[in-house]
Amino acid sequence: MKGLRFLLSRAIQGLIVMFGVSLLVFFALFLTGDPAVLMMAPDSTAQEIAEFREAMGFNDPIIVQYGRFLAGALHGDLGNSLRYSRPAMDLLTERLGATALLALSALLWSSLLGFLLGAIAAVRRNSPIDFAIRVISLLGQAVPVFWLALMLIILFSLNLRWLPSSGYGSFEHLIMPSLALGAYYLSAITRLVRSSLIETLGENYIRTARAKGLTEWRIVVRHALRNAMIPVVTLQGMYLASLMGGALVTEIIFAWPGIGRLAVEAIQNRDFPVVQAVVLFAALVFVVANFLVDVAYTWLNPRIRL
Amino acid sequence: MIGSLKLKGNSDAALAIVLLVAAVLFCVLVPLLWPLDPLRGDISATFKPPMTVVGDTLHPLGTDQLGRDLLARLGLGTLVSFGIVLVAALISVVLGTALGMIAGYYGGWVDALIMRLVDIQLAVPFILLILLLVSVLGPSMTNLVIVLGLTGWAIFARVARGRTLEVRELEYIDASRAMGLSDMAIIFRHVLPNIIGPQTVLLTLDLPRLIILEASVGFLGLGVQPPMPTLGNLIGEGRSVILIANWLVLYPGLMIGALVIGCNLLGDWLVRRAESKVS
């Protein structure tokens, strides 16, 4: 019951957050005063700008405009792309699959490897292996994703000629973007799992298990990992925003036809309806993912479930 | 055991300080002392690899597509990037700490409002929000500093609020209130000194995020505009000629790595020191 009430309040908070993001995204265009001037090409005549302003409804009271924006957004209508004259939502959904493939593959390999490395480091703590894993995770967090991506291209595409330097469509195309994007995440998960496991391994029930003569690995797998998961799962949601940010840069470098590239191109082309759609969508993914994290948290932590 | 642990912590701190001091010296001394112009090049000396001598001038890190000296550009670029990041971080920490203390001290609807603002801020990927704002306001150094500063406050507010909630319950706060001190006086004189330490540690740990964010915006061409170099601009410009001049991408990336590792090690060490003090 307590768990349900907790989840319900989190869901309401999520709705409030989405409402706030919609305000942010809508009013950002009015920061310079006139969204029509912002959206039109710099060499447009005053007449063209005035006609555009009228056509886009920028002459209406601002509250009416926001109401229209919100009502549209709730129906999945975020206006038309100025560049492609097509619904921004369509452009977004077309690119969704590519970004999901990239983000989920990066998440998958880095989580699995991160759990493994973190567990090894925790069990063999203060050993040379622990030190080596620590160095790897420090380096992984130290370099920007775009730099790592360029280094991978130099190594695997230019020197070794093993992998295509950009493009989309085959497993070979996925390897480098996924590696570049997952590296930071791998470091974060490894560090988290290590510290969380070390803490859990100091608990009384683990000592009991040890006293029963179980091997260290058995204790980790059977007893400690579940509890050590709690902080790891809680922080997954937080990392998601940075993962999406990283995906944006990765897609640019590898010419990956996803939402990140759509966003950067839209920003460069002053195609603001598309930019608004991407920001709203990213926030929605973040809010939904964090809600799922809360569900997982309730499930992992019986103290809240009751 | 305790001895080795202590030593390990100190060697981390030593490495961090060496990296950060070296980076700071580099970005102050190179623009000051290195004679070559970071903005103007020698068209007859383009794409020279590191350690090339052209005429009687040495290019220790090579030259770029316009024959500009990479050492000079890296020095100035590091200075510009680090300066942007430090000022932005300062804006974030002041704004976030103030709002966090107000939320924690007053509680109620003020607290709820500020914390929902934190949630909203954290729900939008930083880079997306920054690109949106920079594209609306136009790319410039001032706009970049303001936007980076204004979007980074949320973490500081969350932590400041948590600490304020703890401090608020202490007896001497009650005593100050009974003595008739105003809320603002209590917040600044009694709450703030208690949270400056944790906020400084958080600032150290947040700098790497800002360094990489600033570099990403520059890499995408929406930060400080060329010909001014920044760490991100250098990598972004080098990207298109990576086939013939990979040093243009290599060295700026190593500089970012050194700055980030330095800040991370220093931050971790400060956290450990604070924890061992408590226990």
Side-chain angles (χ1 to χ4, degrees):
Chain A
M1 228 28 244
K2 203 167 147 197
L4 266 185
R5 207 179 310 144
F6 169 71
L7 288 180
L8 188 68
S9 85
R10 299 298 290 185
I12 293 171
Q13 273 180 28
L15 285 179
I16 297 173
V17 166
M18 282 314 295
F19 176 69
V21 174
S22 81
L23 282 171
L24 186 77
V25 161
F26 177 79
F27 283 100
L29 297 193
F30 291 85
L31 277 178
T32 51
D34 191 346
V37 174
L38 190 68
M39 290 187 193
M40 291 295 277
D43 55 354
S44 312
T45 63
Q47 165 104 34
E48 280 169 343
I49 291 176
E51 280 167 9
F52 180 77
R53 189 181 293 128
E54 186 60 38
M56 294 291 285
F58 290 141
N59 287 328
D60 298 336
I62 197 155
I63 193 78
V64 173
Q65 291 186 50
Y66 175 71
R68 204 160 48 208
F69 173 77
L70 191 63
L74 288 173
H75 290 95
D77 173 14
L78 291 163
N80 280 336
S81 157
L82 303 175
R83 185 175 164 84
Y84 299 104
S85 309
R86 293 180 51 208
M89 203 63 185
D90 290 1
L91 292 169
L92 189 84
T93 46
E94 280 166 17
R95 307 285 195 105
L96 192 58
T99 297
L101 178 65
L102 175 60
L104 291 179
S105 67
L107 203 63
L108 188 70
W109 79 259
S110 58
S111 301
L112 289 177
L113 192 58
F115 259 95
L116 187 67
L117 291 180
I120 293 173
V123 172
R124 302 254 175 279
R125 61 182 165 280
N126 298 330
S127 73
I129 300 177
D130 181 22
F131 182 75
I133 291 174
R134 182 154 178 266
V135 171
I136 293 173
S137 61
L138 258 178
L139 290 178
Q141 281 186 311
V143 295
V145 52
F146 55 89
W147 188 76
L148 182 62
L150 291 172
M151 290 299 122
L152 289 173
I153 289 177
I154 290 178
L155 181 63
F156 290 116
S157 301
L158 301 181
N159 292 344
L160 297 172
R161 301 189 175 274
W162 286 355
L163 294 168
S165 65
S166 67
Y168 176 67
S170 74
F171 180 68
E172 277 81 35
H173 288 106
L174 179 62
I175 296 175
M176 283 199 296
S178 184
L179 274 182
L181 183 57
Y184 178 86
Y185 208 67
L186 170 72
S187 306
I189 296 275
T190 305
R191 286 173 62 140
L192 255 163
V193 170
R194 179 185 182 275
S195 63
S196 174
L197 253 183
I198 285 178
E199 200 167 301
T200 315
L201 286 174
E203 304 269 346
N204 280 331
Y205 71 92
I206 298 291
R207 280 191 211 147
T208 313
R210 219 173 262 144
K212 272 167 39 185
L214 295 183
T215 65
E216 194 73 8
W217 273 109
R218 209 181 163 85
I219 292 170
V220 167
V221 175
R222 293 282 297 273
H223 297 279
L225 215 49
R226 184 186 168 105
N227 273 328
M229 289 259 296
I230 293 174
V232 180
V233 168
T234 322
L235 279 168
Q236 294 273 347
M238 289 292 294
Y239 279 121
L240 196 75
S242 72
L243 188 74
M244 285 190 285
L248 190 128
V249 188
T250 312
E251 288 181 6
I252 294 292
I253 291 190
F254 293 102
W256 192 260
I259 293 172
R261 203 165 127 222
L262 180 72
V264 173
E265 282 169 359
I267 283 167
Q268 282 160 351
N269 295 325
R270 307 177 149 252
D271 196 349
F272 286 100
V274 174
V275 181
Q276 287 178 319
V278 174
V279 177
L280 270 177
F281 176 76
L284 183 67
V285 171
F286 180 83
V287 166
V288 170
N290 271 289
F291 183 71
L292 294 179
V293 164
D294 286 331
V295 173
Y297 179 73
T298 331
W299 177 70
L300 279 169
N301 192 348
R303 264 168 296 193
I304 283 199
R305 196 165 32 173
L306 290 173
Chain B
M1 183 66 204
I2 286 172
S4 73
L5 205 72
K6 216 173 174 181
L7 195 71
K8 190 182 154 213
N10 285 343
S11 70
D12 276 8
L15 179 60
I17 287 165
V18 166
L19 283 173
L20 291 177
V21 168
V24 168
L25 283 180
F26 177 81
C27 74
V28 172
L29 293 184
V30 168
L32 236 96
L33 300 178
W34 188 244
L36 296 178
D37 191 328
L39 302 182
R40 230 166 304 158
D42 173 5
I43 290 296
S44 63
T46 57
F47 295 128
K48 295 294 176 208
M51 299 314 284
T52 308
V53 179
V54 178
D56 53 358
T57 45
L58 169 72
H59 298 289
L61 300 182
T63 63
D64 68 1
Q65 65 277 13
L66 296 174
R68 294 174 296 197
D69 181 68
L70 183 61
L71 178 63
R73 286 183 69 68
L74 188 60
L76 183 61
T78 310
L79 184 66
V80 172
S81 284
F82 208 41
I84 290 174
V85 163
L86 282 183
V87 178
L90 212 62
I91 297 176
S92 296
V93 77
V94 169
L95 189 68
T97 307
L99 286 173
M101 286 192 302
I102 290 171
Y105 186 82
Y106 288 103
W109 67 268
V110 180
D111 184 24
L113 179 72
I114 292 175
M115 285 303 109
R116 285 302 81 72
L117 286 177
V118 167
D119 289 342
I120 293 166
Q121 172 76 71
L122 292 177
V124 183
F126 286 107
I127 181 128
L128 211 50
L129 185 60
I130 286 161
L131 291 183
L132 171 69
L133 292 175
V134 167
S135 67
V136 169
L137 298 171
S140 78
M141 200 186 296
T142 324
N143 285 347
L144 187 61
V145 168
I146 293 172
V147 169
L148 280 176
L150 291 186
T151 50
W153 64 282
I155 293 285
F156 294 102
R158 193 174 265 178
V159 174
R161 171 183 176 267
R163 280 292 288 167
T164 309
L165 285 177
E166 286 169 29
V167 174
R168 197 178 62 171
E169 304 303 319
L170 298 178
E171 275 174 11
Y172 74 91
I173 300 284
D174 273 344
S176 321
R177 210 175 284 133
M179 280 164 59
L181 238 63
S182 73
D183 286 344
M184 276 301 135
I186 294 176
I187 287 179
F188 276 102
R189 258 187 255 163
H190 297 301
V191 179
L192 187 60
N194 276 298
I195 64 174
I196 275 187
Q199 294 297 85
T200 316
V201 176
L202 193 62
L203 178 70
T204 321
L205 289 170
D206 197 48
L207 280 180
R209 182 188 68 81
L210 275 170
I211 290 168
I212 289 183
L213 204 54
E214 192 275 332
S216 305
V217 177
F219 173 78
L220 293 171
L222 286 159
V224 178
Q225 292 301 295
M228 184 59 83
T230 68
L231 291 172
N233 285 5
L234 287 172
I235 298 177
E237 287 166 20
R239 180 193 163 208
S240 51
V241 291
I242 198 170
L243 267 170
I244 37 177
N246 56 31
W247 58 90
L248 293 176
V249 168
L250 183 67
Y251 295 109
L254 292 180
M255 179 53 84
I256 295 177
L259 285 172
V260 170
I261 290 180
C263 292
N264 273 336
L265 284 177
L266 186 66
D268 286 351
W269 179 72
L270 288 172
V271 169
R272 276 203 304 277
R273 212 184 55 151
E275 276 170 357
S276 67
K277 246 186 204 164
V278 168
S279 63

